[in-house]
Amino acid sequence: MEIIHVSAECYPVAKAGGLGDVVGALPKYQCKSGDIAKVIMPMYRTKFLYENDWTVDFKGSANLGNWYFDFTVIKEPTNKLGFDLFLIDINGLLDRQKIYGYDDDAERFTAFQIAVVSWISSWEHQPDVVHCHDHHTALIPFMMKYCYDFQHLSTVSTVVTIHNGQYQGWMGWDKSLYIPRWDLWKRGMLDWAGSINPLASGVKCADKVTTVSWSYMDELRENANGLEALFEFEKGKSVGILNGIDNEVWNPSTDTYIENRFTVKTVTKGKEQNKQILCNQFGLDITKPLFVFIGRLVGEKAADILPGAIRTAIHQTQGDACFLILGSGETSIEWELQQMTNEYKGIYNAYIGYNEQLSHLIYAGADFLLMPSRVEPCGLNQMYAMRYGTVPVVRSTGGLKDTVTDMGDTDGFGIRFNNATIDDLAYSIGRGVAVYQDKKHMEWMRKHMMQIDHSWESTVFEYRQVYQSLK
Ligand code: ADP
């Protein structure tokens, strides 16, 4: 089976969050299991681009409304990521430092999608599946079905995976000219609430829709930033598949980002050595349990309650816990978390920014990982934490609910709470501080979590079933 993944992110080429991790791993494991999976993504100016050699695979041109543009498809020729990787270069539009966050993102990603479909339609053969990830690629099923120039692709199966339903790529109808000559009777397949909504269009036009956890599939029918009714209507073709993690990248016994590697047997010592490095680097007290947060500092992750919850927990435990934050996002949250470093020297610190290497060290050295998320489609952090023997403290939502059990339940190994509030999080931190004193229980939880199988090997099979159902 030949599967073409289309995405805005793919680790290690370009990553802003979990989408990058998934698209960097799923195709690799699909290839290992005997399928042909390829990835096509925009060519940004990233380190990976400059550190690798590329060959030109295709040159083409297309229109974005009145603007005529040339594009080039380049290929990484050595298969170094375990799958064929293609990048699309559109001069002046895609070749920038950042992945997102520009005023012309609508133009950038629409042009990218037009180039992708033009490229695939130039092939002599047809792939079995075009698999689109999130709203940046979700206009592709529409283009393949209803744009006159791509009609011969209308029988190719399409899948849209929703990694985050909050972002939908809305654009005004004035931008409808961007979409190559299309069947105007199909206007309803682009529209949601009076604007072009790429994610809604993907859900309507794709042959199958998947989300990255089972619970998130159910939650979208109740909370999907305006698309609830659509998810209810399309539930017959929708399925939740829990993300896996790349066990080769996230393996505490081989991880090249950390000095002190460890296995299930050596977890207690290994974590202590890593914690020592972290505590030295950030001026924290190693004798206290270390609670960390890694992620985007945004409302979706409930990062706004971190300052209040940390203050309350420090007060309630009389300073008996340490905290370390790694993240970037909304300026007001960044500012407050940074400010607090002056207040709580020795027990609190923050690194505002993105740092892949540091994230590995933190997963390896921390005792507890905080994830109070308001919305969490799957969440990879908690699975990485478990693999490194770090106890997840999570709100019961989406993928967090599907992957973490509470230590109060039989064989439970994490801490769960219901509300994204300062009090609930602070109370849960208190539970963590208490269990930390019970060394045997901590060791049991660490060892148990590290052995849970969240590998892609078992998940690729579920994707194959989805593809096969479309034949
Ligand atoms: P998201 O909603 O951001 O995609 P996920 O939990 O699915 O959340 O994935 C987040 C990924 O991004 C993880 O690999 C996590 O380690 C990484 N990450 C997030 N913020 C940072 C940061 N500031 N520095 C390093 N890695 C980060």
Side-chain angles (χ1 to χ4, degrees), residues 255-329:
D255 192 329
T256 49
Y257 282 130
I258 57 175
E259 269 171 50
N260 301 292
R261 302 187 188 111
F262 56 91
T263 60
V264 176
K265 269 195 184 150
T266 58
V267 56
T268 306
K269 184 157 172 259
K271 283 192 76 70
E272 186 149 339
Q273 288 169 332
N274 286 296
K275 185 173 173 182
Q276 185 68 65
I277 296 177
L278 270 181
C279 289
N280 290 348
Q281 194 175 334
F282 290 97
L284 301 170
D285 181 345
I286 189 166
T287 61
K288 298 180 177 173
L290 176 59
F291 292 82
V292 299
F293 174 92
I294 300 174
R296 293 180 292 122
L297 300 175
V298 295
E300 214 186 323
K301 301 279 178 198
D304 48 299
I305 67 167
L306 286 173
I310 292 172
R311 283 177 206 280
T312 309
I314 290 177
H315 177 72
Q316 286 173 349
T317 63
Q318 279 133 32
D320 218 0
C322 284
F323 298 88
L324 179 61
I325 309 284
L326 165 63
S328 58

Side-chain angles (χ1 to χ4, degrees), residues 425-438:
L425 179 56
Y427 176 76
S428 304
I429 293 171
R431 288 182 71 202
V433 172
V435 74
Y436 184 74
Q437 311 309 327
D438 186 346

Side-chain angles (χ1 to χ4, degrees), residues 55-69:
T55 55
V56 172
D57 186 80
F58 181 76
K59 274 177 181 288
S61 54
N63 280 303
L64 182 76
N66 296 328
W67 183 57
Y68 176 84
F69 67 91

Side-chain angles (χ1 to χ4, degrees), residues 39 72 108 150:
V39 172
T72 308
R108 297 173 70 225
F150 308 130

Side-chain angles (χ1 to χ4, degrees), residues 15-19 21 164 250 294-296 301 326-328 353-356 359 363 371 376 379-381 384:
K15 165 179 162 183
L19 168 64
D21 285 341
N164 195 328
W250 298 95
I294 300 174
R296 293 180 292 122
K301 301 279 178 198
L326 165 63
S328 58
Y354 189 94
N355 189 327
E356 191 76 28
S359 75
Y363 288 119
M371 288 188 81
E376 197 58 81
L380 295 170
N381 297 17
Y384 298 148

